[in-house]
Amino acid sequence: MNYIDLFFCACSILFLLLMFLKKGRHYTVFHPLNIVILTIGFEFIIKFLWVTFGSPLDTINLPFTYSLLFITIVVMTVYFCLFIPETYLFNLTRPRSVDQFVISPRTAFFLIFSGFLLNAGFAVISGGSPIYGLQNPIEFRIFMQRNGMFYVEFLIFFLLIAGMSVISRNAIMNSRLLSMQFIVPYILAIYVALNSGLRGRVVEVVILPLLVFAIIRNRVPKITLAVLGLVFVPFVVAFGMYRDAVRGNSLDVGETVDFFSKAFDSSSLDFLPIFLHRFDAFDNFVRVMEKGPKEFHYFQSFFDFVSQPIPRFIWSNKPNNFTSEMTSQFRPDLFADGIALTFSAFSESYLNFGFIFGAIILGIFVYISVILLQSLMSRSESRQSSLIIFCLLYQYPFVALSAGFINDVSTVIVILSLAILGGFRFFSRFRFS
């Protein structure tokens, strides 16, 4: 790493620190701006570890410097946008009526139990076992996606989030986090998340009560957060190792437990590269800038977005989303196996809008997302509908920056959230006893 690279790294980290000092320090870690700061800062930490312990890129060449400059412009744009008055954007999301359609704790448990039945049912259909999603995560995900069940997956996810956000709020407000009314649905929701085959889903469900606590109490228990952080990092890596190892060979419950018990028998030097490969979206950005895709037109991924809501079993030849398209061009072997690599919003914005405009547009997009989510978060304490939608959307800045504007996760989250928000707006016209 040369002195120019170090300079751009220092500039980005400085502006991230200024963003935190200007605004982020007044809020909890779950505030959208702090999520942005942590996401970009985390990528710099990963890159530092790669450079220290041996980067997968054999040579640190000119595109690496350009990529650092691009990210620096993005971070600077977000920082200077923070000086813009937020009143107009807050008015765009201000509710026109009070919540009249309110979910009771009993209904919330019914939502979670419905998600459990749907998840177990599809697991039996795909693999003959109600825990097939845990026994063979990749094959279960491929079955769901190739049979037009992708939206059903996120419907199940919505049922979990909606139910647990209401139950968590009720338990926190009444100081009943140790009651069976909270513990039973919480365990059920974690089981469904595990059986979905998506490790990110598990993390989101586990930390959901902590998120709701942060919204209601405006603080986060730091010890609890630190413990969860220390647990989740090895879990994500171990689950990835397990997922790849058991593909095509389902394990029973005993074999699954045995695999996880032996996951960390190898040395930390074996563990570190797996961890870095899983979270590093930076190198793919460098590859995009260095080689570029074989064919990619300006604004292409945004035009492809229009086709994404259509299930592939209806339109078998529909265009790939951005991450799938990049994987097919850079790693066709993985794409053939149904695996998509992570190409961040940095890559997507750069290819769609060019270098300068791409960096500025991405910075403005991040700022608008932060402000809109902040507005939603500020109403979540008193409005149940706002709480549910925020719990669905709060991770969007992380998903977008890590995996791109338009990918399977972010597309469905936004579409589903808008549909749910429209439903709340519709039902709020009526009074329910």
Side-chain angles (χ1 to χ4, degrees), residues 284-303:
N284 282 334
F285 181 33
V286 175
R287 292 185 180 97
V288 165
M289 298 190 77
E290 181 181 15
K291 299 178 181 179
K294 298 176 183 177
E295 183 178 357
F296 193 91
H297 306 289
Y298 287 123
F299 313 111
Q300 177 176 327
S301 66
F302 292 92
F303 287 115

Side-chain angles (χ1 to χ4, degrees), residues 232-272:
F232 281 142
V233 170
F235 165 77
V236 168
V237 177
F239 193 88
M241 296 163 58
Y242 165 76
R243 178 199 65 188
D244 297 337
V246 304
R247 184 175 184 183
N249 299 293
S250 299
L251 304 182
D252 59 28
V253 176
E255 291 172 324
T256 300
V257 173
D258 184 61
F259 182 92
F260 276 104
S261 67
K262 296 179 179 178
F264 301 102
D265 285 348
S266 60
S267 68
S268 59
L269 292 179
D270 294 329
F271 178 86
L272 183 62

Side-chain angles (χ1 to χ4, degrees), residues 27-76:
Y27 303 105
T28 68
V29 68
F30 294 108
H31 188 275
L33 181 63
N34 286 333
I35 291 177
V36 169
I37 294 171
L38 289 172
T39 301
I40 300 178
F42 190 62
E43 287 299 327
F44 278 101
I45 294 174
I46 295 295
K47 177 50 61 183
F48 171 78
L49 291 174
W50 263 135
V51 173
T52 302
F53 293 98
S55 174
L57 293 175
D58 295 330
T59 58
I60 303 300
N61 47 25
L62 197 58
F64 182 69
T65 300
Y66 280 167
S67 63
L68 288 174
L69 174 59
F70 186 92
I71 294 175
T72 300
I73 296 174
V74 172
V75 175
M76 290 175 61

